[in-house]
Amino acid sequence: VLSETSCTLVCQEKSNVDSVSALSTLVVAAGANTRVDELCYGLRKTLGFPVVNDRVCRSEFIQLPRSVRNLIKNRLCIGCYGVQVDGKRITLPVPDRLSALYWQDFMVKGAMQPRKPI
Protein backbone atom coordinates (compact mmCIF):
# COMPACT_ATOMS: atom_id res chain seq x y z
CA VAL A 1 0.00 0.00 0.00
CA LEU A 2 2.81 2.40 0.77
CA SER A 3 4.24 1.47 -2.63
CA GLU A 4 1.16 2.91 -4.39
CA THR A 5 1.84 6.26 -2.76
CA SER A 6 5.31 7.68 -2.47
CA CYS A 7 5.96 8.20 1.25
CA THR A 8 9.01 8.97 3.33
CA LEU A 9 9.00 7.94 7.00
CA VAL A 10 11.36 9.27 9.65
CA CYS A 11 11.25 8.23 13.30
CA GLN A 12 11.52 11.51 15.19
CA GLU A 13 11.08 10.22 18.77
CA LYS A 14 10.77 6.90 20.55
CA SER A 15 9.68 6.38 24.14
CA ASN A 16 11.90 4.43 26.55
CA VAL A 17 9.10 2.60 28.34
CA ASP A 18 8.36 -1.12 28.28
CA SER A 19 7.46 -2.66 24.93
CA VAL A 20 3.73 -2.88 25.69
CA SER A 21 3.46 0.89 26.04
CA ALA A 22 6.25 1.86 23.64
CA LEU A 23 5.30 4.78 21.41
CA SER A 24 7.10 6.44 18.50
CA THR A 25 6.64 9.76 16.77
CA LEU A 26 6.94 9.42 12.99
CA VAL A 27 7.19 12.17 10.42
CA VAL A 28 5.55 11.12 7.16
CA ALA A 29 6.11 12.98 3.91
CA ALA A 30 3.47 11.93 1.38
CA GLY A 31 2.01 13.03 -1.91
CA ALA A 32 -0.97 15.35 -2.24
CA ASN A 33 -3.46 12.55 -2.89
CA THR A 34 -2.52 10.42 0.13
CA ARG A 35 -5.40 9.69 2.49
CA VAL A 36 -5.10 9.10 6.24
CA ASP A 37 -6.72 5.67 5.98
CA GLU A 38 -4.07 4.66 3.41
CA LEU A 39 -1.30 5.82 5.74
CA CYS A 40 -2.78 3.96 8.72
CA TYR A 41 -3.23 0.78 6.69
CA GLY A 42 0.29 1.00 5.25
CA LEU A 43 1.89 1.66 8.62
CA ARG A 44 -0.06 -1.21 10.21
CA LYS A 45 0.09 -3.88 7.49
CA THR A 46 3.30 -3.14 5.60
CA LEU A 47 5.56 -1.90 8.38
CA GLY A 48 3.90 -3.33 11.50
CA PHE A 49 3.38 0.06 13.21
CA PRO A 50 -0.19 0.46 14.50
CA VAL A 51 -1.45 4.05 14.70
CA VAL A 52 -2.96 4.99 18.08
CA ASN A 53 -6.77 4.95 17.77
CA ASP A 54 -6.81 3.56 14.24
CA ARG A 55 -10.15 1.72 14.29
CA VAL A 56 -8.38 -1.59 13.53
CA CYS A 57 -5.75 -1.24 16.30
CA ARG A 58 -8.01 -1.61 19.34
CA SER A 59 -5.82 -4.21 21.08
CA GLU A 60 -2.78 -1.90 21.00
CA PHE A 61 -4.89 0.93 22.41
CA ILE A 62 -6.14 -1.30 25.25
CA GLN A 63 -2.51 -2.16 26.16
CA LEU A 64 -1.73 1.49 26.90
CA PRO A 65 -2.01 2.56 30.55
CA ARG A 66 -5.52 3.64 31.54
CA SER A 67 -4.35 7.18 32.32
CA VAL A 68 -3.07 7.56 28.74
CA ARG A 69 -6.24 6.03 27.24
CA ASN A 70 -8.37 8.43 29.28
CA LEU A 71 -6.59 11.43 27.78
CA ILE A 72 -6.40 10.16 24.22
CA LYS A 73 -10.05 9.00 24.21
CA ASN A 74 -11.20 8.37 20.62
CA ARG A 75 -8.90 10.83 18.88
CA LEU A 76 -6.79 9.44 16.05
CA CYS A 77 -3.17 10.31 16.79
CA ILE A 78 -2.22 11.46 13.32
CA GLY A 79 -2.47 14.84 11.65
CA CYS A 80 -1.25 17.13 8.87
CA TYR A 81 0.96 19.91 10.23
CA GLY A 82 2.84 21.01 7.14
CA VAL A 83 2.27 21.40 3.41
CA GLN A 84 4.42 22.53 0.53
CA VAL A 85 2.77 24.24 -2.43
CA ASP A 86 4.68 25.78 -5.34
CA GLY A 87 7.90 25.72 -3.34
CA LYS A 88 6.37 27.47 -0.32
CA ARG A 89 6.23 25.54 2.95
CA ILE A 90 3.50 26.18 5.50
CA THR A 91 3.82 24.55 8.93
CA LEU A 92 1.74 24.48 12.07
CA PRO A 93 2.95 23.55 15.56
CA VAL A 94 2.51 19.85 16.31
CA PRO A 95 0.38 19.25 19.44
CA ASP A 96 2.13 17.67 22.43
CA ARG A 97 -0.30 14.74 22.36
CA LEU A 98 1.41 13.50 19.17
CA SER A 99 4.83 13.34 20.83
CA ALA A 100 6.12 9.99 22.13
CA LEU A 101 8.30 11.81 24.66
CA TYR A 102 5.27 13.71 26.00
CA TRP A 103 3.53 10.41 26.77
CA GLN A 104 6.71 8.89 28.18
CA ASP A 105 7.03 11.84 30.54
CA PHE A 106 3.34 11.50 31.43
CA MET A 107 3.70 7.76 32.20
CA VAL A 108 6.86 8.26 34.27
CA LYS A 109 5.57 11.20 36.32
CA GLY A 110 2.07 9.80 36.61
CA ALA A 111 -1.35 11.16 35.92
CA MET A 112 -1.43 13.33 39.04
CA GLN A 113 1.50 15.55 38.06
CA PRO A 114 0.78 18.94 36.48
CA ARG A 115 1.33 18.94 32.73
CA LYS A 116 0.86 21.12 29.73
CA PRO A 117 -2.63 20.95 28.13
CA ILE A 118 -3.09 18.60 25.22
Side-chain angles (χ1 to χ4, degrees):
V1 169
L2 288 180
S3 61
E4 293 176 11
T5 308
S6 177
C7 291
T8 304
L9 298 171
V10 177
C11 183
Q12 187 176 21
E13 300 173 344
K14 189 173 183 178
S15 64
N16 293 325
V17 296
D18 61 35
S19 61
V20 173
S21 301
L23 297 170
S24 298
T25 302
L26 300 177
V27 175
V28 180
N33 295 324
T34 305
R35 297 186 338 239
V36 171
D37 62 332
E38 292 174 339
L39 287 175
C40 290
Y41 180 82
L43 288 168
R44 181 179 68 249
K45 286 292 187 181
T46 307
L47 300 174
F49 290 109
V51 176
V52 174
N53 266 346
D54 178 10
R55 63 183 173 81
V56 182
C57 299
R58 297 287 185 212
S59 62
E60 290 83 0
F61 180 69
I62 294 299
Q63 291 176 354
L64 292 172
R66 180 182 296 270
S67 58
V68 173
R69 291 192 322 253
N70 288 343
L71 285 176
I72 293 175
K73 307 223 183 212
N74 290 323
R75 290 174 264 175
L76 186 64
C77 291
I78 195 168
C80 179
Y81 297 95
V83 294
Q84 187 166 342
V85 180
D86 297 329
K88 294 182 180 180
R89 180 136 180 91
I90 302 167
T91 58
L92 297 171
V94 178
D96 286 339
R97 71 179 177 85
L98 297 181
S99 167
L101 297 180
Y102 170 83
W103 291 109
Q104 173 184 312
D105 188 46
F106 178 81
M107 286 185 270
V108 169
K109 289 183 179 177
M112 303 312 285
Q113 296 295 321
R115 61 187 181 287
K116 295 188 281 186
I118 294 178

